[in-house]
């Protein structure tokens, strides 16, 4: 690798994987470490965070695994304090936490609406609120929020909570980027398209929407939607995150980097 993040510390929220294979956060954490970063792997499931940290350590990298519920400010504060204590600073914050809940306005109850908003949107707000002061004081940093093409277009799947939380995350990214640009603090969003990840595979409601519960049929139908002929994977998102985290993107802030194989060109 080319050591593009040498000397930097990255905190990856949602660094575990919801099943076997590579999720976006897990891939980003490992790729950041391969490029020289010290990585704090955070997940609500400690075992998942530890698995990612062990992969990094097995390759000679530095990693710290932490458990946190990112809908709770106290948990995020504990992560920030632990990261500062272990590595002295945090240069990169990757907000990668998110869930999918299928259903339109008439299908979703108030409790589910609040749950998805807390996980998909409030978590990023709380993390930025916690990490920005220290980033400003040290002279800057990079924040990367993981959104979705569902924030831009109707994808054919009625998941109103997912779509609206990700759309709000985009604008939260823009306004925060504008406010803190003078502090050399960059805030960007990545907009993944249809991805083949454990989270999608584990989402039974998505398989029901696409393939009447048949995961393999869902994969085929999702592949067919993409102009390139296939879905992306976690490494496609991770490489986009690496660019935004690196000094190569030092003049890039407030953008939505679409990683979708041309999918949104069709919608």
């Amino acid at each position: 690798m080319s050591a593009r993040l040498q000397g930097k510390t990255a905190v990856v929220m949602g660094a575990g994987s919801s099943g076997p294979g590579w999720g976006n956060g897990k891939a980003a954490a490992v790729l950041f470490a391969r490029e020289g970063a010290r990585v704090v792997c955070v997940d609500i499931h400690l075992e998942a965070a530890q698995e990612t940290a062990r992969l990094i350590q097995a390759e000679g990298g530095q990693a710290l695994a932490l458990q946190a519920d990112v809908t709770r400010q106290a948990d995020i504060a504990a992560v920030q304090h632990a990261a500062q204590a272990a590595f002295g600073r945090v240069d990169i914050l990757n907000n990668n936490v998110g869930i999918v809940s299928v259903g339109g306005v008439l299908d979703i109850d108030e409790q589910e609406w609040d749950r998805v908003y807390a996980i998909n949107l409030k978590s990023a707000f709380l993390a930025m609120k916690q990490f920005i002061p220290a980033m400003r004081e040290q002279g800057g940093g990079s924040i990367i929020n993981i959104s979705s093409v569902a924030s831009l277009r109707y994808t054919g799947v009625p998941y109103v909570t997912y779509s609206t939380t990700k759309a709000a995350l985009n604008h939260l990214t823009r306004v925060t980027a504008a406010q803190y640009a003078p502090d050399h603090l960059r805030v960007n969003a990545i907009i993944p398209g249809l991805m083949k990840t454990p989270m999608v595979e584990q989402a039974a409601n998505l398989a029901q929407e696409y393939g009447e519960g048949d995961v393999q049929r869902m994969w085929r139908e999702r592949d067919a939607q993409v102009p390139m002929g296939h879905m992306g994977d976690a490494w496609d998102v991770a490489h986009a995150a690496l660019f935004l985290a690196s000094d190569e993107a030092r003049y890039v802030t407030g953008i939505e980097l679409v990683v979708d194989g041309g999918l949104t060109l069709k919608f």
Side-chain angles (χ1 to χ4, degrees):
M1 309 301 284
S2 56
R4 293 157 74 184
L5 303 182
Q6 193 67 44
K8 297 183 185 295
T9 299
V11 172
V12 179
M13 301 294 194
S17 183
S18 57
W22 292 90
N24 294 335
K26 183 178 180 181
V30 170
L31 185 60
F32 288 173
R34 288 175 178 171
E35 290 288 349
R38 300 160 297 195
V39 183
V40 180
C41 304
V42 184
D43 203 273
I44 194 167
H45 301 295
L46 180 58
E47 298 82 2
Q50 289 172 330
E51 178 190 3
T52 304
R54 282 195 297 270
L55 289 169
I56 291 170
Q57 291 161 351
E59 295 184 356
Q62 297 183 66
L64 173 67
L66 298 174
Q67 188 277 335
D69 177 348
V70 293
T71 68
R72 299 183 65 247
Q73 182 67 54
D75 281 23
I76 293 177
V79 167
Q80 193 256 339
H81 295 151
Q84 291 282 149
F87 300 123
R89 59 186 288 134
V90 173
D91 304 280
I92 302 155
L93 172 64
N94 186 350
N95 287 315
N96 186 70
V97 175
I99 60 170
V100 175
S101 181
V102 174
V105 169
L106 300 185
D107 307 308
I108 296 293
D109 61 27
E110 184 179 0
Q111 182 179 7
E112 183 67 358
W113 176 275
D114 290 342
R115 184 178 80 93
V116 177
Y117 263 75
I119 294 170
N120 288 7
L121 183 61
K122 181 182 176 182
S123 63
F125 158 70
L126 292 177
M128 291 195 292
K129 185 178 183 66
Q130 181 67 40
F131 281 86
I132 283 175
M135 285 184 167
R136 293 178 73 189
E137 186 175 339
Q138 73 194 18
S142 174
I143 297 174
I144 304 156
N145 296 322
I146 307 302
S147 185
S148 167
V149 292
S151 68
L152 306 177
R153 304 284 191 276
Y154 178 59
T155 65
V157 177
Y159 37 34
V160 65
T161 50
Y162 186 69
S163 301
T164 55
T165 52
K166 294 299 187 179
L169 181 62
N170 293 351
H171 202 52
L172 177 63
T173 298
R174 296 185 203 107
V175 297
T176 309
Q179 184 175 358
Y180 295 105
D183 299 301
H184 304 288
L185 205 163
R186 300 182 295 103
V187 188
N188 294 291
I190 296 174
I191 314 288
L194 299 179
M195 297 292 163
K196 191 173 186 179
T197 64
M199 185 190 79
V200 176
E201 184 171 5
Q202 298 292 322
N205 45 11
L206 273 182
Q208 192 63 39
E209 284 289 329
Y210 275 99
E212 298 180 352
D214 183 339
V215 173
Q216 294 306 313
R217 179 179 163 188
M218 175 178 69
W219 292 148
R220 291 192 298 271
E221 292 196 12
R222 284 165 66 93
D223 280 338
Q225 284 184 270
V226 184
M228 284 189 173
H230 61 86
M231 290 176 286
D233 62 26
W235 295 102
D236 296 310
V237 179
H239 279 97
L242 172 61
F243 166 67
L244 293 174
S246 75
D247 291 339
E248 295 162 22
R250 66 181 185 177
Y251 202 54
V252 178
T253 195
I255 72 161
E256 295 152 22
L257 179 54
V258 179
V259 182
D260 72 346
L263 182 68
T264 49
L265 300 175
K266 295 173 56 179
F267 290 154

